[in-house]
Amino acid sequence: MTKILVVDDQPLLLDTLRRVLGTVGFEVQTADDGESALRLAREERPDLILLDVVLPTISGLEVCRILRKDSSVPILMLTAMDKEVDKVVGLEMGADDYLTKPFSVRELLARVKALLRRVEWGQSLEETAACAEPVVVSRLRENGVEVDLVSRRTVRTGVPVDLKPKEFDLLAFLMHHRGQAFPPGQLLTEVWGYQDTSDTRTVVVHIRRLREKLENDPSQPKLIQTVRGVGYRFWQ
């Protein structure tokens, strides 16, 4: 059973999320402060973490930063702050996505399922690659960049590149469709699994971070290009 750790200091919301996620078949564990969240994340190894930004003892942003040192578990930040800078900080700390309070149950479940699909995709690749048949493409190589879809490792001109989970997914998608330009809204659908594509700031932040890690000069990108009036593409 898929295990989700929910971290929030509001007892009513914590109980609601426990019941909602449990009803659709998830095993739910809860924590109401940052220290408990870190302990449970390390002991129980959840498949996904719902993490509030404002927490007692240790903030959610700091919890996210600490976990990212040795874990790639998908993290969905829950925030009552709607400022762009707050959301960007969460992404910079290594969160995979954010959800602004108040949110609907439908939107929450859609975000959770989209993040879990990434985990299932990686596991299915590992299982398939371990078999003699069928043969699958497990590596993409273009213009000095190589991504291993099974181990989820990235190399640029022989040097390992440390990518966050969604940075890797976005890069792999663009490389797989090299030369084809995708609007930010379509990338939200294809990579994040969103149905609501009105807010594309998540894509913009991840594109910027990929350029900072892969480009010789991020201000003049050669690999991940902007196609004016369309979106982004990986250079062919």
Side-chain angles (χ1 to χ4, degrees), residues 49-73:
I49 299 176
L50 300 182
L51 181 61
D52 189 27
V53 170
V54 181
L55 293 171
T57 66
I58 304 175
S59 75
L61 293 175
E62 182 65 9
V63 170
C64 181
R65 186 190 68 80
I66 294 171
L67 288 176
R68 275 294 172 258
K69 291 181 179 180
D70 54 16
S71 174
S72 61
V73 58

Side-chain angles (χ1 to χ4, degrees), residues 207-215 218 221 224-226:
I207 289 290
R208 175 170 59 81
R209 293 198 315 208
L210 281 177
R211 286 171 171 170
E212 290 172 350
K213 295 179 178 182
L214 296 174
E215 302 281 359
I224 302 174
Q225 301 176 338
T226 298

Side-chain angles (χ1 to χ4, degrees), residues 174-190:
L174 291 173
M175 288 181 65
H176 183 70
H177 300 277
R178 60 189 181 278
Q180 182 177 349
F182 291 91
Q186 186 174 353
L187 290 173
L188 277 177
T189 299
E190 298 288 351

Side-chain angles (χ1 to χ4, degrees), residues 4 6 12-28 30 50 103-110 112-113:
I4 296 179
V6 182
L12 180 58
L13 179 58
L14 206 59
D15 183 62
T16 300
L17 293 178
R18 182 194 296 112
R19 287 188 291 103
V20 166
L21 294 168
T23 298
V24 295
F26 295 116
E27 178 183 342
V28 183
T30 61
L50 300 182
F103 48 79
S104 68
V105 170
R106 181 178 179 182
E107 182 177 13
L108 170 69
L109 293 177
V112 166
K113 290 175 181 178

Side-chain angles (χ1 to χ4, degrees), residues 60 78 111 132 197 207 217 219:
L78 305 177
R111 299 289 183 94
T197 59
I207 289 290
D217 182 359
S219 64

